[in-house]
């Protein structure tokens, strides 16, 4: 028990205000570090802080996020690989090595031999600077980031349909106002747990929930109707639902006529569908499809949410467009209790896709191939438009170029690509061929292990900056904990390197706020307009929704109330064909593998596997399989089994569960090496957004004993 006399003095007690480093909710919290006596081991206490998104909740990952950052094995000095071992070097030596390698490669093969690879956990300021660093300091076209695997399908669908991509078109307070909600390929209970109460509140109000997932999850538990779809068949299923909407006269003709284009083509493509065939190919009965359509079509207000289950498919872009057609043809947009949400994944998954770390993009959601956008950004950066490189290629296509030795050096900031890319064996082979791999990270990730040089960076709790959460709400993450060892902020590394590369005059910033001031101007007039947002406002107002075009603008919680963002003010509908996954099962690979997440771990697990509390809950990977299927393939509960695809194999623990379809197995993505599920996945890409089909490939399972 703590008594008054044993209470540590204030000198031994420090409090850090911060935001959870993990998912897109960006819950705020306070971490307190106390020492009973000087030199004693610190004890940490974490309390949630009231904030609009999580309403003061934290999930188990947030509660334990201090562990990896404060007590884990952080990298504290630059490390260079010599004879296969890492040895510490000074920053000066590290930077000189980078300059020497970059100059040599660029002199011989041109700047496009250099690639940059960013991430959705970087702050807006760093994401912005990384894009500028690629185009101005290195002058390479090759930059992309891990969000390609995350938000690219929903982002391109939102841009094409509405003219703007902001994850949620409406504030979360609208959720309990919806009479019907479709949750398609989203497991909010495990992936954005602190948002679940918005949905349970809706349930208490009588909202009818339709959840689409091949498995039963914490989220399907809320369903009135669970459509246990065959993996990869969401577009067909959504088409079937729309066919019934049409047949039953549940179309909002007024909304369709006044606010959309393209419905006639959608109508004729739906007319040609046969509900019996749709039921066959999707694995969902015609009766259930009808039930879903009637509930959705008759509801006075309705919302649709999609996440990676629908989007990480080789037709991810079109599958999302089909769900958007559904919301639009029933007039469920731009009103309280109506709208669409692409449930964004990473902490800055929204901001990370707006400010120019994507191959085809410039800040403010501008396009690198649009002459006006090029001229504007060149003006902000003080260069000639002709000096801006053209568009590069998507993340996995960069890996292909690395394999082909076109890209000879890679600078990774905020990602662990060897675990998160599809076809991981191929990716690893490629990274080993690089002349020079630099990884900026806090930890020795699986990718960092392969690096020639590792640069130690600050963690969330030390690094001030803005993050834009899944609602499009820009938040200022404060940071008052000193940076440990010799680690540096990502943005500072980019500025110091630019100086050495002779481009320092374009990168003179003393704080993240300085960078944000430039970002405001660079985004001004763009789709994601941050011009009206300042650090001063963020300190006072807690968070501001973009677009926010002027400092006296309140921000935009609900979008598209009067018009959509296209020049004609209308949303664009498009017919969506039935699509089958790129890889189908056969006698050798008879099961569909789908992949995803568990509550306790985050992405490739570099951070959460270093938290003792989280690691203890889920210590290894596993395969979820139906007991009937397990019996048929001779694998037993609790044993280690081999899972093989055409590209590789892994060994995981077998977990029997009646919750999953009999033709499907599930493996989470949080482990590397022999448990890296991406050794199995198919690298075929969506033709529009270049998203890999992470959610379906064909595998077989084998007992090891
Ligand atoms: N605990 C935890 N939370 C996270 C993360 C994490 O790693 N761990 N990561 C964050 C990030 S970056 C992201 S992108 C989000 C991801 O959030 P989600 O997209 O919600 O997570 P997933 O588990 O990848 O997939 C969601 C569901 O899709 C289902 N599914 C699989 N195949 C299909 C299909 O073909 N159709 C349909 N309809 N469903 C299918 C899976 O069974 C799964 O339950 O989560 C964020 N939050
Ligand atoms: N099979 C399969 N594969 C998938 C998915 C799937 O559902 N199934 N999901 C995909 C999705 S949605 C995503 S988002 C990707 C994510 O894939 P990754 O980008 O590989 O994800 P992380 O594990 O978050 O890796 C982030 C790395 O950056 C480091 N880091 C964290 N914060 C910072 C920072 O501020 N600065 C720097 N420099 N480093 C930092 C971490 O320590 C970690 O090593 O994986 C994709 N891969
Ligand atoms: S993981 Fe997401 S829901 Fe959980 S505390 Fe962190 S930000 Fe909040
Ligand atoms: Mo993601």
């Amino acid at each position: 028990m703590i008594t008054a006399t044993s209470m540590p003095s204030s000198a031994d007690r420090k409090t850090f205000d911060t935001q959870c480093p993990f998912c897109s909710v960006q819950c705020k919290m306070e971490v307190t570090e106390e020492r009973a006596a000087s030199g004693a081991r610190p004890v940490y206490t974490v309390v949630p802080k009231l904030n609009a998104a999580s309403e003061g909740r934290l999930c188990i990952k947030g509660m334990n996020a201090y562990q990896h950052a404060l007590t884990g094995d952080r990298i504290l000095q630059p490390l260079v690989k010599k004879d296969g071992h890492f040895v510490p070097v000074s920053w000066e030596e590290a930077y000189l090595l980078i300059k020497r390698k970059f100059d040599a490669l660029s002199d011989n093969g041109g700047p496009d031999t250099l690639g940059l690879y960013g991430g959705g956990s970087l702050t807006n300021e760093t994401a912005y600077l990384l894009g500028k660093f690629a185009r101005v300091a290195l002058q390479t076209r090759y930059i992309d980031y891990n969000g390609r695997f995350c938000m690219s399908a929903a982002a391109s669908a939102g841009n094409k349909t509405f003219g703007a991509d902001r994850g949620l078109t409406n504030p979360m307070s609208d959720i309990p106002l919806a009479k019907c909600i479709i949750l398609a390929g989203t497991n909010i209970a495990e992936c954005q747990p602190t948002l679940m109460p918005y949905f349970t509140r809706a349930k208490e109000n009588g909202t009818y929930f339709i959840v689409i997932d091949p498995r039963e999850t914490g989220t399907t538990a809320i369903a009135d109707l669970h459509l246990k779809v065959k993996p990869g068949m969401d577009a067909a299923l959504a088409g079937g639902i729309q066919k019934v909407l049409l047949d039953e006269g549940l179309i909002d003709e007024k909304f369709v006529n006044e606010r959309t284009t393209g419905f006639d083509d959608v109508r004729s493509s739906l007319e040609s569908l046969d509900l019996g065939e749709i039921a066959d190919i999707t694995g969902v009965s015609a009766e259930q499809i009808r039930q879903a359509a009637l509930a959705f079509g008759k509801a006075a207000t309705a919302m649709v949410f999609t996440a990676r289950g629908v989007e990480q498919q080789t037709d991810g872009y079109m599958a999302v467009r089909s769900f958007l057609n559904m919301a639009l043809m029933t007039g469920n947009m731009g009103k309280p209790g109506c709208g669409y949400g692409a449930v964004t994944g990473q902490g800055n998954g929204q901001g990370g896709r707006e400010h120019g770390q994507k191959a085809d993009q410039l800040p403010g959601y501008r396009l690198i191939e649009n002459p006006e956008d090029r001229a504007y950004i060149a003006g902000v950066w003080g260069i000639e438009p002709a000096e801006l490189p053209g568009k590069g290629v998507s993340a996995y296509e960069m890996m292909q170029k690395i394999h082909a030795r076109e890209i000879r050096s890679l600078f990774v900031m905020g990602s662990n690509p060897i675990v998160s890319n599809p076809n991981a064996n191929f990716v690893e082979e490629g990274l080993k061929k690089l002349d020079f791999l630099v990884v900026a990270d806090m930890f020795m990730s699986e990718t960092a292990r392969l690096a020639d040089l590792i640069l130690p960076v600050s963690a969330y709790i030390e690094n001030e900056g803005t993050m834009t959460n899944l609602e499009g709400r820009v938040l200022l993450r404060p940071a008052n904990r000193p940076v440990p060892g010799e680690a540096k902020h990502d943005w500072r590394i980019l500025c110091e390197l630019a100086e050495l590369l002779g481009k320092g005059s374009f990168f003179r910033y003393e704080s993240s706020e300085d960078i944000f001031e430039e970002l405001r101007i660079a985004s001004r007039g763009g789709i994601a307009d941050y011009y009206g947002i300042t650090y001063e406002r963020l300190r006072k107002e807690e968070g501001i929704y973009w677009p926010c075009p002027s400092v006296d603008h309140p921000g935009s919680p609900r979008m598209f109330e009067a018009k959509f963002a296209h020049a004609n003010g209308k949303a664009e509908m498009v017919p969506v064909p039935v699509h089958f996954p790129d890889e189908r099962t056969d006698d050798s690979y008879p099961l569909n593998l789908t992949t995803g997440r568990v509550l306790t771990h985050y992405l490739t697990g570099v951070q959460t596997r270093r938290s003792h509390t989280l690691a203890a809950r889920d210590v290894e990977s596993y395969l979820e399989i139906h007991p009937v299927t397990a019996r048929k393939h001779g694998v037993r509960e609790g044993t280690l089994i081999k899972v093989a695809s055409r590209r590789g194999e892994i060994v995981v623990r077998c977990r029997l569960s009646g919750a999953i379809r009999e033709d499907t197995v599930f493996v989470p993505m949080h482990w590397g090496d022999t448990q890296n599920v991406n050794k199995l996945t198919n690298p075929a890409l969506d033709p529009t957004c270049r998203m890999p089909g992470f959610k379906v490939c064909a595998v077989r399972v084998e007992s090891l004993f």
Side-chain angles (χ1 to χ4, degrees):
M1 202 175 79
I2 297 177
T3 63
T5 46
S6 70
M7 277 283 272
S9 71
S10 57
D12 302 312
R13 189 172 193 278
K14 294 186 199 110
T15 295
F16 312 110
D17 250 0
T18 186
Q19 272 165 226
C20 172
F22 300 128
C23 87
S24 54
V25 187
Q26 284 302 290
C27 304
K28 289 194 174 273
M29 59 192 190
E30 204 176 80
V31 179
T32 300
E33 182 181 71
E34 289 177 279
R35 282 187 169 82
S38 87
R41 252 176 63 176
V43 174
Y44 295 97
T45 323
V46 178
V47 287
K49 279 189 70 170
L50 195 61
N51 65 99
S54 81
E55 301 176 315
R57 294 178 285 273
L58 274 183
C59 81
I60 185 167
K61 287 187 298 305
M63 291 300 288
N64 293 291
Y66 72 92
Q67 290 177 358
H68 75 274
L70 304 185
T71 58
D73 45 343
R74 291 275 297 270
I75 298 173
L76 299 175
Q77 281 173 291
L79 300 173
V80 75
K81 199 177 267 160
K82 284 203 178 120
D83 305 323
H85 298 284
F86 284 110
V87 291
V89 285
S90 68
W91 276 99
E92 203 183 351
E93 286 170 278
Y95 285 150
L96 283 173
L97 178 65
I98 296 177
K99 180 174 162 49
R100 194 154 47 76
K101 293 280 188 184
F102 280 7
D103 282 352
L105 283 168
S106 186
D107 288 350
N108 287 326
D112 286 344
T113 51
L114 311 175
L116 278 125
Y117 195 107
S121 45
L122 304 175
T123 60
N124 286 317
E125 291 78 0
T126 300
Y128 168 80
L129 215 59
L130 202 62
K132 182 174 177 182
F133 185 80
R135 279 70 179 238
V136 176
L138 299 184
Q139 294 180 303
T140 177
R141 66 172 65 226
Y142 291 126
I143 175 166
D144 212 54
Y145 80 122
N146 68 10
R148 179 67 67 172
F149 302 147
C150 184
M151 300 313 299
S152 64
S156 43
N159 278 324
K160 204 73 183 124
T161 307
F162 304 136
D165 151 47
R166 200 189 73 185
L168 303 193
T169 61
N170 33 354
M172 275 169 334
S173 51
D174 272 7
I175 293 169
L177 307 178
K179 296 288 176 213
C180 179
I181 294 181
I182 294 185
L183 299 174
T186 168
N187 186 4
I188 291 170
E190 300 203 52
C191 296
Q192 291 82 15
T194 58
L195 297 190
M196 212 47 200
Y198 288 97
F199 295 92
T200 41
R201 229 173 281 156
K203 184 89 184 168
E204 285 156 16
N205 287 352
T207 304
Y208 187 86
F209 275 89
I210 302 165
V211 186
I212 308 176
D213 198 304
R215 305 184 301 138
E216 286 156 34
T217 65
T219 308
T220 62
I222 204 176
D224 295 281
L225 180 62
H226 175 194
L227 307 180
K228 228 170 178 176
V229 69
K230 277 189 194 164
M233 298 313 296
D234 293 87
L237 179 59
I241 296 174
Q242 289 164 71
K243 162 94 179 159
V244 179
L245 291 173
L246 197 66
D247 291 350
E248 296 292 327
L250 294 170
I251 306 299
D252 183 339
E253 302 282 351
K254 184 167 181 288
F255 186 93
V256 166
N257 290 334
E258 287 172 6
R259 302 213 40 198
T260 72
T261 59
F263 181 62
D264 288 342
D265 291 342
V266 172
R267 185 196 301 266
S268 34
S269 92
L270 293 176
E271 279 164 356
S272 67
L273 293 182
D274 178 286
L275 209 56
E277 271 171 36
I278 296 286
D280 272 355
I281 59 176
T282 59
V284 179
S285 71
E287 190 38 47
Q288 285 197 318
I289 297 176
R290 274 184 62 78
Q291 221 176 315
L294 294 180
F296 185 77
K298 290 187 173 171
T301 50
M303 293 172 93
V304 178
F305 292 84
T306 67
R308 308 310 85 76
V310 169
E311 301 160 13
Q312 289 171 330
Q313 306 282 2
T314 45
D315 72 335
Y317 163 74
M318 283 309 254
V320 175
R321 292 210 67 176
S322 190
F323 282 99
L324 297 184
N325 285 344
M326 197 189 296
L328 289 166
M329 70 176 63
T330 49
N332 283 307
M333 286 300 304
K335 290 179 283 199
C338 299
Y340 167 70
V343 186
T344 293
Q346 297 179 86
N348 198 26
Q350 179 71 50
R353 66 188 196 256
E354 299 164 356
H355 304 299
Q357 58 173 333
K358 220 172 157 179
D360 58 351
Q361 201 191 54
L362 291 171
Y365 237 133
R366 289 184 162 86
L367 294 176
I368 205 158
E369 300 226 300
N370 174 318
E372 268 171 49
D373 289 352
R374 291 173 69 84
Y376 181 76
I377 294 298
V380 176
W381 289 349
I383 59 171
E384 289 302 317
E387 292 176 68
L388 277 174
K391 124 177 166 181
V393 296
S394 73
Y396 184 74
E397 291 167 299
M398 279 177 66
M399 295 301 159
Q400 291 173 318
K401 287 195 176 294
I402 288 170
H403 227 273
R405 307 250 317 132
E406 282 176 56
I407 296 175
R408 304 285 289 270
S409 162
L410 188 70
F411 188 116
V412 180
M413 186 169 258
S415 183
N416 185 15
I418 183 185
V419 182
S420 49
N421 270 254
N423 200 12
N425 286 332
F426 171 89
V427 171
E428 179 167 353
E429 265 170 41
L431 294 184
K432 285 180 174 160
K433 287 190 197 174
L434 282 167
D435 290 7
F436 191 51
L437 173 63
V438 188
V439 174
D441 207 302
M442 297 158 302
F443 299 105
M444 187 63 76
S445 68
E446 286 78 1
T447 306
R449 272 193 243 144
L450 293 183
D452 298 292
L453 178 67
I454 303 175
L455 304 177
V457 301
S458 54
Y460 67 99
I461 198 166
E462 300 136 16
N463 187 7
E464 181 190 56
T466 60
M467 307 283 279
T468 305
N469 83 350
L470 83 167
E471 308 165 272
R473 194 199 301 258
V474 184
L475 300 160
L476 178 60
R477 179 180 73 194
N480 59 336
R481 191 180 157 85
V483 181
E486 293 176 26
K488 288 181 192 263
H489 299 318
D490 293 296
W491 62 265
R492 173 109 38 217
I493 294 173
L494 296 175
C495 295
E496 290 176 354
L497 257 178
E499 188 72 46
L500 204 69
L501 295 169
K503 301 285 180 162
S505 62
F506 300 99
F507 292 85
R508 296 263 150 77
Y509 313 96
E510 281 312 312
S511 64
S512 58
E513 186 169 4
D514 280 356
I515 304 168
F516 192 80
E517 283 299 300
E518 189 179 297
L519 182 159
R520 288 178 58 211
I521 297 165
S523 75
R524 189 178 194 179
I527 295 169
D529 190 336
Y530 281 46
Y531 182 68
I533 304 173
T534 62
Y535 269 39
E536 197 187 325
R537 275 189 75 178
L538 290 175
R539 282 188 193 104
K540 281 198 237 127
E541 296 173 39
E542 198 208 300
I544 300 169
Y545 293 88
W546 72 255
C548 181
S550 62
V551 283
D552 54 6
H553 189 285
S556 313
R558 188 176 300 113
M559 294 179 86
F560 315 136
E561 290 189 279
K563 60 184 176 65
F564 291 95
H566 285 306
N568 63 4
K570 298 195 174 187
E572 199 183 294
M573 290 204 230
V574 73
V576 176
V578 167
H579 170 95
F580 292 91
D582 179 77
E583 192 175 62
R584 313 287 292 274
T585 53
D586 59 16
D587 288 347
S588 311
Y589 300 97
L591 295 168
N592 284 311
L593 167 72
T594 193
T595 62
R597 291 152 173 83
V598 301
L599 172 68
T600 46
H601 282 287
Y602 186 69
L603 295 176
T604 67
V606 173
Q607 297 171 94
T608 47
R609 281 186 271 127
R610 283 176 166 78
S611 151
H612 53 268
T613 308
L614 298 175
R617 292 201 171 219
D618 286 287
V619 72
E620 60 180 355
S621 190
Y622 66 91
L623 172 113
E624 181 180 336
I625 185 168
H626 196 280
V628 170
T629 318
R631 216 171 306 127
K632 196 164 138 201
H633 294 275
V635 291
R636 278 176 296 120
E637 167 70 20
T639 59
L640 285 173
I641 58 170
K642 185 164 103 178
V643 193
S645 79
R646 292 188 176 83
R647 292 153 295 276
E649 54 185 58
I650 59 172
V651 174
V652 292
R653 188 78 56 189
C654 180
R655 226 185 246 186
L656 304 194
S657 159
I660 190 162
R661 289 179 60 90
E662 287 184 27
D663 57 7
T664 303
V665 293
F666 170 87
V667 177
M669 62 165 295
H670 312 296
W671 285 270
D673 300 321
T674 52
Q675 298 206 315
N676 179 357
V677 71
N678 278 322
K679 288 180 187 254
L680 308 179
T681 49
N682 178 5
L685 305 178
D686 176 295
T688 305
C689 61
R690 320 307 282 164
M691 167 74 88
F694 283 120
K695 289 288 192 267
V696 198
C697 72
V699 296
R700 67 165 173 265
V701 295
E702 279 168 38
S703 170
L704 283 176
F705 303 101

